[in-house]
Amino acid sequence: MTLLTDALLAETRKRIVPPRTTPPSTTRSAVPPLAPGAVPGLGHAAALLRDPLGFLGSLSRHGGVVRIRLGPRTVCVVTDARLVHTLLVALAHDCPRGAVQDTLKSAFGDGLLMSEGQAHRDRRRIIQPAFGPDRMAEYLAVMHQVTEERAGRWRPGQVLDVAKEMNHLALEIVTRSLFDARLSEEATLAFHRALPDMVKGQIVQSLYPHPALARVPLPVNRRFDAAVRVLNRVVDQAVNGRSGPAGPAPSAERRGTLPALLRAAVDPATGRPLTEADVRSEAITMFGAGTETVSTTLTWLLDELLRHPEVEERLLAELDEHLPAGTVPTPEALARLTYTRSVTQEVVRLHAPNAFLMRTARVPVELGPYRIPAGTELLYSLTALHRDPVQHPEPLAFRPERWQDGGGVGRPSFLPFGAGKHKCIGEAFAWAELIVAAAAILRRWRPVAVPGARAREVVWTTVQAQGLRVRLAPRSAAPADRGTGAPAAERAVTERAVTARAAAGRCPFTGAAAAPAARVRHRPPAELRATADRHTDWAVRHGLLAPDELPGYRAYALHELIGHAFPNTRGSDLDLLVDMLGWFTILDDRFDGPPGRHPGEARELVDPLITALDGDAPSAASSATPGGRLLTAWRELWDRQTDSMSPAWRARAAREWRACLATFPAEAEHRARGTVPALGLSLADTMRLRRHGSCLYPFMNILERVHGTDAPAALHAEPALHRLRANTADAATLINDLYSLEREERQSAAAFNTVLTLQRVRGCTRSRAVRAVRTRVSRLWQENEELRRELRRRHPAGRWYLDGTRELVAGVQAWTSTSDRYLVPDAQPR
């Protein structure tokens, strides 16, 4: 029998594309294989345009070099990072730039980005002093000042279009740093309006079967030509040092700028000074290379930090240590920001902005085992290369730790700025710009995601980040002040209050005294006590508990958790909820013993429970064994849950219970293999695994059971609801981790506790790890409130369900502050 628990383990090992298979045996100078799926007349053009990254990423299965057809043209796609490195370094002379760059060459001239051979070497030698180490300190000060000025104009509560704002910021940094100029607001807006038309025209014209089509007055060509004219006008402003149309002319004060370097240089080929056309060509190169790719990367950086607040917390801690607020960054300070550099490297890897670039073989060449005829166009995608699971395990996972201790730096598989003689001359400038801008923004502001407005990939020649909007909150506000709605004074809580909550009796998020069960709304305390008595009778009757175990079990006060989390539930529904929670707690305690360390025992216990969801009754199950007794009680609970519920609800509930139960063997498997959190299992994978193991998903489904009807189908189809449910489960898990910390610190088996995981991952103190978890809970709470507002607006009939998810987390928080479940032995009341 195929075990569902194995499927859950396999899920955590998914790659962006299936692992590369070994191509058929090849001899030297083999012809690259043709990719399958070509359509007559179009070839692979439709697949490339429909899903560029997916299509290019899939080609690595067929070989290191793969032929594709784009209409009548045949292009070779290089999918192996080592062969791309060979193409850019060893074969750079024989394989000059291709059709994509040629489009810009016709528009902007033969500048550094487009030139080849001796002309390229000469031009690079002229420009190199502008990016020398002696200039970096000056550039850092300008980058810092520009970002501070722009961020200083933002206001609390303002909703920011991040891509647009980062574009403006990057353009201003380039203009002020390299040109010592200021563009008018009108010129800045014109630049950004024109850039998309230039990029779209560039890719379309590079795919034309004949270059003459670029001169046909098609709409895309007209827009491209208009964009080129606008960009030239804007660049003229910067080159000539004007802040606007009537700005000042160049002066001696600007002789250290890039235009001054170019105007003072002599063309070695002619012995004459460079022309103004040459100066403009190099300027437009710096504007294009230094604006769009950097601004796109900054947008993705903010988006990833929104998704990974634990990364942001560690990044800010490093800034506190090595770049205190208000200080101007220096090269020495940046060198100490090793984790911040790792974060930016991971953003660049995961979101490499170059969707595809091209070279052309001007003579026959050999690329690995493949023979490439003269005239062949060679295409490669840095985005696809950086998401290759062979070179970068878990390629879609955002894992800055993969770059720690120099890991991955300098590898041929990481080529964000190219390689060889054409490697980007401004690489050091770009890394510095990313770090300085991010540091200045995050020091001042905490971006909060606007529901439904996260970054999405839009692919042209570059992979752009569009759609991200954030609401700005001042960074000076305490993290817990931003989401719980309680007064700030109540949320001033010490580290001791988190880990000694039994003695203090206070909530670690509000600092207020925990709410007793008697304060539950609409229900007399006696009703909950009677429910608790019926539950313990039920547990003893099913053999789940022995009479001598009842005192310790009753101290858990599980009925109070249900009372807080489901404040309006009465009667048989209340009995069902307490019985469900009690049964799950007893099952969970079993995995503190041998089943939690031995996957075989874990499966023996869990697989019959999963099978029972389909109505099957394994003959091996016996009510005389602990596992058999759990199974008998589970069958009854499943019948009670599903009674009178719709088929859609039953299917959803069964799916969530399968995922929940399967986490027990999955965790046992990780313990047995040694791939516990931070030791082979990433924090992100740990949270995904435990998200379902928290039992919150099944209890969110029970909201519909006790309400008497399914939530609207349209609400269930909303991606925002999926995010809200995931946040709800994560928040409950993290709250549990804070309260169970003392107990799990003393366990001999590796604990799946986020605080302990953060200590191992970051090497940080216990106090800092606790603060990071508290901050994450607060942010999850705030994001869920924003999601609820949006979902209530679109689905008012589902308001009861949305409010119920809030009460679930509030119930977990209230109960954990008073229950004895997480007391360590020497902390038991005397």
Side-chain angles (χ1 to χ4, degrees):
M1 179 177 68
T2 301
L3 299 176
L4 293 169
T5 49
D6 289 334
L8 183 67
L9 287 174
E11 180 70 18
T12 66
R13 306 184 186 113
K14 278 186 176 178
R15 308 301 191 205
I16 182 174
V17 295
R20 181 181 296 120
T21 57
T22 303
S25 178
T26 59
T27 60
R28 196 72 181 166
S29 301
V31 175
L34 179 67
V39 177
L42 293 176
H44 301 89
L48 178 62
L49 292 173
R50 182 172 57 250
D51 181 13
L53 299 183
F55 175 70
L56 293 172
S58 71
L59 296 178
S60 63
R61 287 177 283 180
H62 308 295
V65 180
V66 182
R67 287 179 296 136
I68 64 172
R69 292 198 175 116
L70 303 176
R73 297 161 57 187
T74 297
V75 175
C76 284
V77 181
V78 188
T79 68
D80 188 301
R82 292 165 299 178
L83 297 184
V84 171
H85 191 269
T86 298
L87 175 67
L88 300 181
V89 179
L91 298 179
H93 177 73
D94 295 330
C95 298
R97 301 180 189 276
V100 175
Q101 287 91 336
D102 286 345
T103 302
L104 293 183
K105 183 175 180 179
S106 64
F108 298 116
D110 199 14
L112 184 66
L113 184 62
M114 282 70 73
S115 60
E116 293 288 346
Q118 187 62 44
H120 175 83
R121 288 192 291 273
D122 291 340
R123 194 60 59 85
R124 189 179 184 98
R125 200 172 292 119
I126 293 170
I127 297 174
Q128 187 66 56
F131 295 97
D134 58 315
R135 301 296 303 275
M136 190 53 66
E138 178 185 341
Y139 290 154
L140 294 178
V142 175
M143 294 170 185
H144 177 73
Q145 180 181 355
V146 170
T147 310
E148 286 286 347
E149 288 174 1
R150 188 152 203 100
R153 294 196 289 268
W154 303 339
R155 292 292 175 261
Q158 177 182 348
V159 174
L160 212 63
D161 181 332
V162 178
K164 178 180 177 182
E165 197 66 23
M166 294 305 102
N167 265 308
H168 285 229
L169 173 63
L171 179 62
E172 191 171 357
I173 287 175
V174 168
T175 306
R176 298 262 293 272
S177 299
L178 297 180
F179 298 87
D180 191 23
R182 293 175 182 264
L183 293 177
S184 66
E185 187 66 20
E186 178 185 359
T188 300
L189 292 173
F191 182 92
H192 292 299
R193 282 196 295 264
L195 204 57
D197 286 335
M198 189 196 76
V199 173
K200 292 173 186 177
Q202 179 189 12
I203 187 172
V204 171
Q205 291 185 14
S206 69
L207 296 175
Y208 283 154
H210 194 281
L213 286 174
R215 296 191 293 273
V216 177
L218 299 172
V220 66
N221 293 339
R222 292 199 304 270
R223 287 193 294 269
F224 176 80
D225 292 340
V228 169
R229 290 192 294 271
V230 169
L231 293 176
N232 274 316
R233 285 199 301 270
V234 173
V235 170
D236 279 344
Q237 282 193 26
V239 167
N240 295 320
R242 296 195 302 266
S243 60
S251 69
E253 295 177 359
R254 303 179 66 250
R255 54 177 176 265
T257 64
L258 180 62
L261 282 173
L262 293 168
R263 289 184 174 119
V266 173
D267 186 344
T270 64
R272 298 173 181 171
L274 298 184
T275 67
E276 284 303 303
D278 292 329
V279 175
R280 183 191 294 113
S281 179
E282 299 306 342
I284 198 70
T285 296
M286 297 307 158
F287 270 91
T291 299
E292 184 184 17
T293 54
V294 170
S295 65
T296 297
T297 304
L298 278 171
T299 303
W300 283 120
L301 172 61
L302 293 179
D303 187 73
E304 290 294 349
L305 293 181
L306 287 170
R307 299 175 192 274
H308 301 89
E310 72 282 357
V311 173
E312 182 191 43
E313 182 82 8
R314 183 174 175 184
L315 186 151
L316 288 169
E318 184 177 70
L319 292 177
D320 286 341
E321 183 176 357
H322 298 299
L323 192 63
T327 59
V328 176
T330 64
E332 294 74 22
L334 259 60
R336 292 191 292 269
L337 299 177
T338 56
Y339 184 73
T340 306
R341 177 62 178 258
S342 295
V343 171
T344 58
Q345 285 175 314
E346 181 67 349
V347 173
V348 170
R349 180 202 66 81
L350 182 55
H351 302 288
N354 297 110
F356 61 85
L357 296 165
M358 297 182 77
R359 295 288 186 269
T360 301
R362 63 182 182 84
V363 296
V365 296
E366 290 185 350
L367 195 54
Y370 303 103
R371 181 178 66 254
I372 308 298
T376 300
E377 294 179 288
L378 296 152
L379 181 150
Y380 61 96
S381 168
L382 291 183
T383 312
L385 290 175
H386 290 172
R387 296 179 182 181
D388 182 351
V390 175
Q391 301 294 335
H392 303 281
E394 300 180 82
L396 289 185
F398 182 72
R399 292 174 44 203
E401 62 270 18
R402 73 173 86 226
W403 303 99
Q404 293 290 281
D405 301 321
V409 177
R411 293 186 306 192
S413 60
F414 186 57
L415 304 166
F417 294 92
K421 66 179 185 178
H422 287 289
K423 188 174 185 180
C424 177
I425 195 172
E427 177 180 5
F429 184 96
W431 284 122
E433 183 178 358
L434 289 171
I435 293 173
V436 171
I441 291 169
L442 294 172
R443 283 283 195 199
R444 186 183 290 262
W445 298 105
R446 185 179 69 85
V448 179
V450 174
R454 304 305 291 264
R456 65 182 187 277
E457 290 183 336
V458 178
V459 183
W460 290 99
T461 51
T462 58
V463 184
Q464 300 169 35
Q466 294 186 7
L468 179 63
R469 292 186 298 127
V470 299
R471 183 172 286 105
L472 298 172
R475 179 63 67 181
S476 57
D481 294 351
R482 301 180 190 122
T484 62
E490 290 186 351
R491 289 192 292 270
V493 59
T494 64
E495 165 75 359
R496 179 173 177 80
V498 174
T499 55
R501 47 110 197 125
R506 291 185 174 273
C507 169
F509 309 105
T510 65
R519 292 176 60 185
V520 172
R521 294 176 292 154
H522 311 305
R523 186 189 297 112
E527 184 176 354
L528 270 182
R529 288 196 294 270
T531 299
D533 291 340
R534 288 193 296 272
H535 166 65
T536 52
D537 290 345
W538 177 87
V540 171
R541 187 169 67 252
H542 281 280
L544 302 178
L545 292 171
D548 60 349
E549 295 175 303
L550 290 180
Y553 179 77
R554 282 197 178 106
Y556 293 171
L558 299 177
H559 60 287
E560 293 185 4
L561 192 161
I562 296 299
H564 285 294
F566 295 85
N568 300 308
T569 303
R570 313 291 291 271
S572 61
D573 285 338
L574 187 61
D575 289 343
L576 169 63
L577 291 171
V578 176
D579 288 348
M580 281 176 55
L581 181 61
W583 175 88
F584 183 80
T585 301
I586 293 167
L587 173 68
D588 183 66
D589 285 348
R590 290 292 305 277
F591 288 91
D592 289 340
R597 298 184 296 275
H598 300 96
E601 292 186 37
R603 287 190 173 90
E604 287 180 9
L605 196 58
V606 165
D607 284 334
L609 305 174
I610 294 176
T611 303
L613 294 167
D614 299 319
D616 298 330
S619 57
S622 169
S623 59
T625 64
R629 291 191 288 270
L630 280 165
L631 176 60
T632 300
W634 171 239
R635 288 201 195 102
E636 179 197 301
L637 285 173
W638 180 242
D639 288 342
R640 288 163 64 189
Q641 289 176 65
T642 57
D643 181 41
S644 76
M645 296 304 292
S646 70
W649 187 93
R650 290 172 63 99
R652 185 166 60 251
R655 183 172 64 249
E656 304 294 5
W657 271 117
R658 286 190 191 97
C660 175
L661 295 170
T663 59
F664 290 110
E667 289 185 359
E669 182 81 29
H670 283 299
R671 290 192 187 98
R673 293 182 178 182
T675 55
V676 294
L679 298 176
L681 187 65
S682 72
L683 182 60
D685 284 339
T686 303
M687 286 306 301
R688 279 193 291 270
L689 184 66
R690 300 182 63 221
R691 177 178 295 159
H692 292 279
S694 66
C695 198
L696 260 287
Y697 275 103
F699 273 91
M700 281 186 277
N701 293 331
I702 289 292
L703 287 169
E704 297 167 281
R705 170 70 171 79
V706 299
H707 191 75
T709 184
D710 290 12
L715 175 61
H716 274 297
E718 286 273 10
L721 182 69
H722 300 168
R723 180 66 179 167
L724 183 145
R725 283 162 58 92
N727 287 353
T728 300
D730 286 352
T733 298
L734 294 174
I735 291 170
N736 178 287
D737 286 351
L738 287 170
Y739 283 109
S740 63
L741 177 59
E742 275 194 271
R743 190 182 75 169
E744 293 182 335
E745 282 178 320
R746 305 187 184 199
Q747 289 181 189
S748 57
F752 282 69
N753 183 295
T754 309
V755 176
L756 301 179
T757 301
L758 288 175
Q759 288 182 259
R760 287 193 291 265
V761 169
R762 299 181 183 179
C764 65
T765 64
R766 184 178 192 261
S767 175
R768 180 171 288 176
V770 167
R771 286 200 303 273
V773 172
R774 287 172 50 217
T775 299
R776 177 60 174 157
V777 172
S778 191
R779 290 180 181 175
L780 289 171
W781 183 283
Q782 180 172 3
E783 183 177 347
N784 270 7
E785 287 303 294
E786 294 170 348
L787 290 168
R788 285 189 189 96
R789 283 195 293 272
E790 182 63 23
L791 288 169
R792 279 199 297 262
R793 184 182 63 80
R794 294 201 296 266
H795 306 280
R799 182 185 184 111
W800 57 270
Y801 181 87
L802 300 170
D803 291 345
T805 61
R806 182 200 294 112
E807 290 170 337
L808 266 175
V809 177
V812 170
Q813 181 175 324
W815 170 77
T816 47
S817 65
T818 57
S819 171
D820 288 345
R821 176 164 172 75
Y822 301 119
L823 287 178
V824 294
D826 60 359
Q828 294 284 354
R830 299 182 183 276

